[in-house]
Amino acid sequence: MILNIKPETKKGWRLLSTPFIFSILLLAAPLTMMLLLSFWTQDYLILDRTFTLNNYIEAFTQPVYQLLFSRSLAISLTVTFFTVLLAYPMAYFISFHGGERKALWLFLITIPFWTSYLLRMFLWKVILGYNGVLNSFLLWLEMITEPLTFILYNANAVVIALTHGWAPFAILPIFVSLEKIDRSLLEASRDLGDGPFHQFFRVVLPLSAPGVVGAALIIFIPTVGDYITPKLVGGTDGLMIANMIQVQFSKANNAPLAAALSVSSLMIVAFISIVFVLVNRKHLRRY
Amino acid sequence: MTTLVEVQDISKSFGAVNAVDGVSLEIDQGQFFSLLGPSGCGKTTLLRLIAGFERPSSGHLLIDNKPMDGVEPNLRPTNMVFQNYAIFPHLNVEQNVAYGLRKKSISKIEKEEMINQVLELVGLSELNLRSANALSGGQKQRVALARALILKPKVLLLDEPLSALDKKLREQMQLELRHLQRAVGITFILVTHDQEEALTMSDKVAVMFDGKVEQVASPRELYERPTSQRVASFIGAMNFINGTVMEAKNEIGINSDILGPLTISRSQVFGDLTENKIIIGIRPERISIVSDGSSVTGSISGRITDASYFGETTYYKVACGKGSETLTVSAQNSFGQMDYQIGEEVKLNVDIKSLVGFSD
């Protein structure tokens, strides 16, 4: 049989080959290895390669892992909620009241990225600590009599730090979806009797829904697996599943269990994301 | 007739630009009123001032004798058909049409009935549940109309509603809009740059240039008695001939190279005749060509220098007089009409009664 491939098809394959090889080497291969590893057993220094589901049974039945999974999801969902809630007004302001300075406002939003993520997270210790900026300030104002302790080394601190750190990632997609709204639709809604309140809920919000859904996914997916923030500001009450995975890979020397936890985490996040997209699919039409 | 919309010396400036400059207008109840002018003349700004999307820099607006100063668009008795129709893409036809009914306390059945009625009125029956994205340009326009008409506004504002449609559909919609306006009896204010559209649809037309209203008149008056050279050349085609005023009393005696000496009535001349110079305007269809042989008294000799064929009409350029001046003459290609060749010597008959004179 003679292979009859059109020149365009060949060209297409050539163009695709580099990213394709790249993604196989750096994405598919590690994932497959992780998946394989999760079905094996670590026996001190030897890796037992007989197929077993024990790691998964352990991951889903041990109370400590259940707690860490549910805490990670709770923290991540809270962070997603607050990030989107806080990012929306900012995106709205830039899009509708940014005037000629939109580019400047967007530029200002990127300024936190000039410092490393690690440093930014670390600085929350300085702000939220027992003798930190916030407590000193509130004491000076005499609004409190002794320093607040519920704001550092627990889940609250993780939520605060993550919400701050991920805000720009939520602002940008919402901003883009707001920018795409035809301004004459806003006038039409006013013309047909809506005040600013109804205009927002009947036109602006539904039409910017794709940006909100996108922002929510962008925040939710990576924050579930965040490792450094809970490590720095989470104390013991704020530890998340990624911290346990790290411990299993290193100190506990149980790579297969760590792999099973990773894969489980991946599945849970994928499942929630898919459900979220399906629930919102009528909002995701492109207008 | 009662005045419904009263524009009192309204100006609107954006920075240093005066988009609308001291405009006063009175628009009657039930009238089809057009704002006509070239792009950038301020006609859309004036419409947006009436709708409430812009606030006047000075002047006042009254609708139905109520001052509209500071009244938000949602509280005005006006509705607008936007140039791009502004159909809500996330709603279907029915939801779009019912958009403005939110505040009205009416039952679901009544609402349904109103929607069906108005959709039938604009010729969109049975399309209730179609998605806004699946509509053609003409259908979107009908939805935009239905959405505004269902609220029974005192004034319907139309911002170049036909400019995005192709020629055939545009002509059809012109007729439909006119019929619709008569049927519902609502005052329509239409913004357009298309003089033909303004003439065929309106009861009254305001011609605007550079933010100012130059002339407000019925279509016929506007075409036959334009009060300035600018209006005359913007609406239809017109020949302009330089002339000299010989005598200015009740009758005005004029001499010109092309037309020779002639006398017209004072009412045909606009502006003050302070100088003895005058510009005579004559529409191409008010000149007729007669073959060289059949000489009529008072006719002008000329030679055809150009002919453009437009199907039902042919436009001839005829060189007359001593100079190189040419007159544009149109001839209906109706039964019995002669064809003239370039280079042919002809005689022209001019309808003196339809001449207009401008002092500027």
Side-chain angles (χ1 to χ4, degrees):
Chain A
M1 199 178 82
I2 302 159
L3 271 177
N4 191 8
I5 305 170
K6 284 185 197 159
E8 297 100 275
T9 318
K10 268 191 204 162
K11 208 172 164 186
W13 280 112
R14 265 207 302 279
L15 269 170
L16 270 177
S17 56
T18 318
F20 190 64
I21 292 167
F22 199 76
S23 47
I24 285 189
L25 281 179
L26 294 176
L27 201 72
L31 267 177
T32 317
M33 282 157 72
M34 181 82 83
L35 199 63
L36 278 177
L37 190 61
S38 70
F39 295 116
W40 296 340
T41 316
Q42 186 82 34
D43 187 11
Y44 192 45
L45 288 176
I46 303 146
L47 200 58
D48 179 1
R49 293 187 183 167
T50 40
F51 178 85
T52 170
L53 283 173
N54 283 342
N55 293 319
Y56 284 97
I57 293 166
E58 199 177 341
F60 282 99
T61 51
Q62 283 280 336
V64 60
Y65 303 133
Q66 283 176 349
L67 174 74
L68 283 174
F69 272 129
S70 53
R71 184 191 289 154
S72 298
L73 285 176
I75 287 177
S76 177
L77 287 170
T78 317
V79 169
T80 305
F81 177 76
F82 281 112
T83 311
V84 171
L85 198 70
L86 292 173
Y88 201 99
M90 287 192 249
Y92 186 91
F93 173 80
I94 299 171
S95 180
F96 287 93
H97 303 285
E100 288 161 14
R101 295 205 185 83
K102 274 179 197 171
L104 177 69
W105 282 112
L106 290 176
F107 174 73
L108 289 176
I109 281 172
T110 65
I111 283 185
F113 288 99
W114 297 8
T115 331
S116 88
Y117 183 74
L118 194 65
L119 274 178
R120 273 184 289 143
M121 290 303 122
F122 188 79
L123 277 170
W124 278 105
K125 277 182 155 182
V126 179
I127 297 171
L128 300 174
Y130 191 79
N131 289 317
V133 178
L134 186 67
N135 274 327
S136 318
F137 182 66
L138 291 176
L139 281 171
W140 178 72
L141 282 180
E142 295 183 345
M143 284 175 72
I144 51 173
T145 49
E146 51 186 280
L148 304 174
T149 51
F150 65 89
I151 49 173
L152 190 61
Y153 299 128
N154 55 27
N156 295 339
V158 180
V159 170
I160 293 171
L162 282 175
T163 303
H164 166 256
W166 287 88
F169 293 104
I171 294 174
L172 290 174
I174 298 172
F175 169 76
V176 169
S177 71
L178 288 171
E179 278 292 283
K180 272 174 38 187
I181 298 176
D182 181 352
R183 296 308 192 249
S184 67
L185 296 175
L186 307 184
E187 292 191 337
S189 128
R190 294 306 300 275
D191 190 63
L192 294 166
D194 281 351
F197 176 81
H198 283 104
Q199 181 192 53
F200 178 76
F201 283 102
R202 295 179 83 194
V203 178
V204 179
L205 192 58
L207 288 179
S208 61
V212 173
V213 172
L217 288 176
I218 286 175
I219 308 301
F220 172 70
I221 294 171
T223 49
V224 172
D226 198 274
Y227 159 75
I228 200 70
T229 312
K231 179 106 179 162
L232 282 175
V233 299
T236 45
D237 292 344
L239 282 181
M240 288 162 72
I241 192 68
N243 304 95
M244 177 54 81
I245 293 170
Q246 190 256 350
V247 167
Q248 291 296 345
F249 264 121
S250 53
K251 280 187 204 143
N253 189 26
N254 194 349
L257 180 61
L261 288 171
S262 302
V263 173
S264 308
S265 174
L266 184 81
M267 293 302 171
I268 293 169
V269 170
F271 177 75
I272 294 176
S273 301
I274 288 167
V275 169
F276 184 68
V277 168
L278 288 179
V279 166
N280 287 292
R281 76 181 178 285
K282 78 176 161 97
H283 296 305
L284 290 173
R285 274 184 312 188
R286 284 202 276 142
Y287 300 116
Chain B
M1 283 260 210
T2 48
T3 305
L4 183 70
V5 180
E6 219 177 322
V7 178
Q8 296 173 336
D9 197 24
I10 278 189
S11 295
K12 173 72 186 175
S13 46
F14 298 103
V17 185
N18 284 328
V20 173
D21 193 357
V23 167
S24 295
L25 283 174
E26 284 186 4
I27 298 165
D28 287 340
Q29 165 72 48
Q31 207 166 44
F32 199 125
F33 193 94
S34 290
L35 295 168
L36 174 66
S39 50
C41 73
K43 54 191 192 297
T44 297
T45 308
L46 183 57
L47 195 78
R48 292 172 57 79
L49 283 163
I50 297 173
F53 295 128
E54 307 285 353
R55 300 207 165 176
S57 310
S58 67
H60 300 281
L61 171 75
L62 279 84
I63 299 177
D64 209 14
N65 292 320
K66 288 187 193 75
M68 287 291 133
D69 307 282
V71 177
E72 293 288 320
N74 47 325
L75 303 173
R76 295 194 181 200
T78 59
N79 282 115
M80 181 125 148
V81 174
F82 291 82
Q83 184 166 14
N84 63 353
Y85 314 134
I87 301 298
F88 300 113
H90 56 302
L91 305 176
N92 65 26
V93 169
E94 193 173 283
Q95 289 164 329
N96 262 289
V97 172
Y99 192 93
L101 295 177
R102 173 178 60 83
K103 270 192 276 184
K104 302 228 157 68
S105 48
I106 41 175
S107 71
K108 220 174 170 187
I109 302 158
E110 256 179 298
K111 208 185 232 179
E112 197 73 21
E113 212 165 280
M114 280 172 80
I115 292 167
N116 288 334
Q117 243 169 27
V118 79
L119 281 179
E120 197 177 328
L121 188 70
V122 299
L124 278 184
S125 308
E126 312 296 318
L127 286 185
N128 298 40
L129 301 179
R130 181 159 306 180
S131 142
N133 293 315
L135 296 174
S136 70
Q139 286 171 330
K140 276 188 184 168
Q141 151 139 69
R142 286 158 201 267
V143 173
L145 263 171
R147 187 174 71 178
L149 285 173
I150 201 169
L151 301 174
K152 302 194 172 69
K154 292 208 168 84
V155 187
L156 184 72
L157 308 167
L158 303 114
D159 184 10
E160 307 238 11
L162 307 177
S163 60
L165 306 178
D166 60 69
K167 195 171 182 299
K168 262 259 156 61
L169 191 55
R170 194 163 63 224
E171 281 166 2
Q172 186 196 334
M173 282 308 292
Q174 285 175 7
L175 277 178
E176 280 190 36
L177 267 179
R178 189 75 185 105
H179 285 309
L180 197 65
Q181 194 265 337
R182 286 199 185 122
V184 295
I186 292 171
T187 308
F188 278 33
I189 303 179
L190 172 87
V191 157
T192 181
H193 64 268
D194 184 341
Q195 39 114 354
E196 219 170 282
E197 193 170 293
L199 292 187
T200 50
M201 292 164 79
S202 332
D203 296 316
K204 220 159 208 190
V205 182
V207 186
M208 287 183 75
F209 291 106
D210 305 326
K212 291 190 172 75
V213 169
E214 190 114 350
Q215 186 176 2
V216 186
S218 71
R220 181 177 285 270
E221 204 186 331
L222 208 59
Y223 188 78
E224 293 179 2
R225 289 283 179 267
T227 52
S228 71
Q229 212 182 324
R230 257 208 301 200
V231 173
S233 53
F234 186 71
I235 294 165
M238 193 171 248
N239 292 296
F240 294 107
I241 303 156
N242 290 312
T244 320
V245 178
M246 308 303 287
E247 191 190 6
K249 286 177 193 159
N250 287 340
E251 305 251 286
I252 295 180
I254 302 167
N255 196 9
S256 65
D257 278 356
I258 296 181
L259 300 175
L262 54 92
T263 310
I264 58 175
S265 137
R266 181 69 182 90
S267 64
Q268 281 170 268
V269 179
F270 300 97
D272 309 317
L273 291 172
T274 45
E275 286 176 82
N276 63 352
K277 272 193 265 174
I278 192 166
I279 291 160
I280 308 164
I282 177 83
R283 298 274 180 206
E285 70 275 12
R286 293 295 180 172
I287 310 174
S288 62
I289 304 178
V290 284
S291 303
D292 196 24
S294 63
S295 174
V296 186
T297 38
S299 60
I300 313 156
S301 307
R303 190 169 47 83
I304 307 240
T305 59
D306 197 15
S308 327
Y309 178 73
F310 278 85
E312 50 178 22
T313 331
T314 305
Y315 285 88
Y316 296 102
K317 287 221 184 289
V318 185
C320 313
K322 292 158 236 162
S324 55
E325 283 185 276
T326 60
L327 287 178
T328 305
V329 180
S330 73
Q332 285 285 323
N333 292 327
S334 45
F335 178 64
Q337 172 69 32
M338 295 249 322
D339 242 358
Y340 300 98
Q341 304 304 318
I342 293 173
E344 202 170 322
E345 297 287 336
V346 291
K347 294 248 174 197
L348 302 178
N349 276 340
V350 178
D351 177 10
I352 304 291
K353 283 210 171 60
S354 68
L355 287 183
V356 280
F358 307 110
S359 60
D360 42 44

